[in-house]
Amino acid sequence: MTHSEPILVVQAPSSLDDAPLDRLARACGANNILRVSPTAARLSGVSAPLSDETCALAEQLGCDLALMPAGLRFADLGLVVSDMDSTLITIECIDEIADMQGIKDKVAAITERSMRGELDFSASLRERVSLLAGLEESALERVWSERLALTPGARTLIDTCHASNVAFMLVSGGFTFFTDRLKAQLGLDYAFANQLEVRDGRLTGRVIGDIVDARAKRDLLVRVRDELGLAPGTVLAVGDGANDLAMLGEAGIGVAFRAKPVVRRQADVAINHMGLDGIVGLFAGETS
């Protein structure tokens, strides 16, 4: 995303005192500080890109920084696209399913390497799913009812989409068992994921059809964007893993959410401390 007349949005999960805010303003050369809430401010006159010193100071102070075009409103968006695991929800579903099989550590290690971009996503997913062969389908229901939780701020983001007439699409390298339920529960407009094969009430260890990988996520974003007749700049995408990079790059605004280093380096915006409500707070007239 190209930033014109950038405003530096500063957000923190708790009160942001004047002294650290002044330190940030001096570090980035800001000439004006506009307080929008006890936990957020907007700084103008900032030089882009931000210096390593400014970013390090923000990390030290526990706040998130984002350069945003002045006056851009949330309602100017047309579509928000979100990853599921470790983004819209707090868990990696496949790791929790594996826990029901007694092999969480083994599967989680593969998941972590895949999210860091060290493994081919499709191959690693097939490998992990193969380890689940024979597990009763009821284990998925247990993960849904006992372990799955929305990420803090998720409902605020989705409610803001509804109120602003912005479509919300969930696209996941995880499984339809969970995305379909989230779509129904939260009133999402679209949901795409992989389908686990089940026979006689047990997982076969296989996925039905093509894998929703990095390229598929990007292609789904483009397809829905074009179906809605939206300009590329009106799409915001958010994710945490290397398999989200292609869709973040295709979006007008790509947000790395509590993401792996490779994703933070390439995204337009990195949210490391706020919840998903921090996305809402990026925009003019909105506070987190």
Side-chain angles (χ1 to χ4, degrees), residues 229-287:
L230 299 173
T234 66
V235 179
L236 180 148
V238 55
D240 73 300
N243 66 321
D244 296 314
L245 280 170
M247 76 172 186
L248 298 189
E250 186 65 38
I253 304 172
V255 179
F257 182 74
R258 300 181 184 179
K260 303 300 182 288
V262 65
V263 185
R264 292 200 302 268
R265 287 193 297 268
Q266 297 184 47
D268 298 308
V269 174
I271 294 179
N272 302 322
H273 303 283
M274 294 294 294
L276 287 173
D277 51 337
I279 292 176
V280 178
L282 295 173
F283 294 87
E286 305 285 355
T287 60

Side-chain angles (χ1 to χ4, degrees), residues 44-208:
S44 55
V46 178
S47 299
L50 297 177
S51 68
D52 291 342
E53 175 193 2
T54 300
C55 295
L57 178 58
E59 193 63 25
Q60 177 188 336
L61 297 172
C63 59
D64 290 323
L65 305 180
L67 284 167
M68 297 292 292
L72 186 66
R73 303 171 304 148
F74 193 91
D76 294 329
L77 297 175
L79 175 66
V80 169
V81 183
S82 177
D83 174 45
M84 179 176 68
D85 297 277
S86 298
T87 302
L88 190 68
I89 62 175
T90 60
I91 64 171
E92 292 284 339
C93 288
I94 193 166
D95 296 352
E96 301 306 320
I97 297 169
D99 197 28
M100 306 292 176
Q101 190 86 315
I103 53 171
K104 182 175 181 177
D105 289 348
K106 181 176 183 178
V107 169
I110 301 172
T111 300
E112 178 67 15
R113 291 188 63 198
S114 178
M115 291 303 98
R116 289 183 177 276
E118 298 171 5
L119 299 174
D120 175 77
F121 179 81
S122 294
S124 72
L125 182 68
R126 292 189 190 280
E127 178 185 358
R128 286 173 285 165
V129 171
S130 71
L131 297 172
L132 305 177
L135 186 65
E136 291 186 0
E137 187 181 16
S138 59
L140 305 181
E141 188 63 46
R142 285 188 58 197
V143 171
W144 168 259
S145 61
E146 298 175 10
R147 304 195 179 186
L148 188 146
L150 293 177
T151 296
R155 287 190 180 274
T156 297
L157 174 60
I158 293 166
D159 288 348
T160 305
C161 285
H162 291 159
S164 305
N165 197 30
V166 176
F168 192 101
M169 180 170 94
L170 185 60
V171 58
S172 174
F175 308 116
T176 55
F177 183 93
F178 303 103
T179 57
D180 288 350
R181 284 163 173 74
L182 287 167
K183 181 176 183 287
Q185 181 185 82
L186 300 173
L188 309 182
D189 299 283
Y190 307 91
F192 303 96
N194 299 299
Q195 185 176 354
L196 290 168
E197 185 179 65
V198 179
R199 289 184 182 174
D200 301 323
R202 293 182 181 272
L203 304 186
T204 66
R206 291 186 293 270
V207 174
I208 298 173

Side-chain angles (χ1 to χ4, degrees), residues 9-12 14 16 21 34-42 281 287-288:
V9 179
V10 184
Q11 299 185 88
S14 57
L16 186 60
L21 193 54
L34 174 63
R35 278 277 191 178
V36 295
S37 79
T39 63
R42 292 175 174 268
T287 60
S288 56

Side-chain angles (χ1 to χ4, degrees), residues 5-28:
E5 302 179 10
I7 295 292
L8 183 63
V9 179
V10 184
Q11 299 185 88
S14 57
S15 293
L16 186 60
D17 295 333
D18 289 338
L21 193 54
D22 288 340
R23 288 177 64 192
L24 276 171
R26 289 195 300 271
C28 66

